[in-house]
Amino acid sequence: MPDTASLPSVLFVCVHNAGRSQMAAAFLTHLAGDHVEVRSAGSAPTDTVNPAVVQAMSEVGIDISAEVPKVLTTEAVQASDVVITMGCGDTCPIFPGKRYLDWQLVDPAGQGVDAVRPIRDEIEQRIRRLIDDIT
């Protein structure tokens, strides 16, 4: 396993850490393996990951059923090279020297799996481009 201090690190942030950021973190972990350090968090996390998101990810062979939404901390931002926000607005702390990207994506909250699939597919494409960019 590579030394984590030399790995690029990415933090995905959305409000509830129950949908978009969970899918993005899972895709990056799945596609980049141990070549990238991956974190996800929410500015106001819910208790569980959206069941439609869990189902949509399982359809592409990625199991996120054991994931738990996490609260966004200053430490998580400080420890990350790239911070990708997905609708968390002004609640995301900004630190000099970090690369920030804001991905405008539909929020899957309250939506069924049919509505989540296109969001999942868009996130996968963005993750593939991100991997090319940071590795």
Side-chain angles (χ1 to χ4, degrees):
M1 178 149 192
D3 174 20
T4 56
S6 64
L7 294 177
S9 59
V10 180
L11 169 64
F12 297 99
V13 183
C14 66
V15 176
H16 300 298
N17 192 221
R20 296 165 289 186
S21 56
Q22 290 284 351
M23 287 190 282
F27 271 123
L28 185 54
T29 299
H30 180 75
L31 295 170
D34 58 4
H35 298 288
V36 178
E37 189 176 1
V38 181
R39 298 177 182 86
S40 74
S43 54
T46 59
D47 294 331
T48 60
V49 175
N50 180 333
V53 167
V54 172
Q55 181 182 341
M57 292 302 287
S58 71
E59 291 174 358
V60 295
I62 301 173
D63 180 8
I64 62 169
S65 61
E67 293 298 325
V68 177
K70 295 166 276 312
V71 69
L72 176 64
T73 64
T74 301
E75 293 77 23
V77 177
Q78 289 174 321
S80 302
D81 300 313
V82 180
V83 178
I84 299 176
T85 58
M86 303 172 183
C88 72
D90 296 334
T91 61
C92 295
I94 304 292
F95 291 97
K98 305 293 174 192
R99 180 175 169 203
Y100 289 89
L101 300 171
D102 185 42
W103 288 358
Q104 299 294 319
L105 295 160
V106 175
D107 187 349
Q111 308 227 35
V113 70
D114 290 339
V116 172
R117 286 184 189 112
I119 302 166
R120 174 201 65 201
D121 296 345
E122 173 66 20
I123 289 172
E124 180 183 8
Q125 292 309 310
R126 289 179 187 223
I127 292 299
R128 290 181 181 281
R129 289 191 299 269
L130 178 70
I131 291 169
D132 290 342
D133 189 38
I134 65 174
T135 58

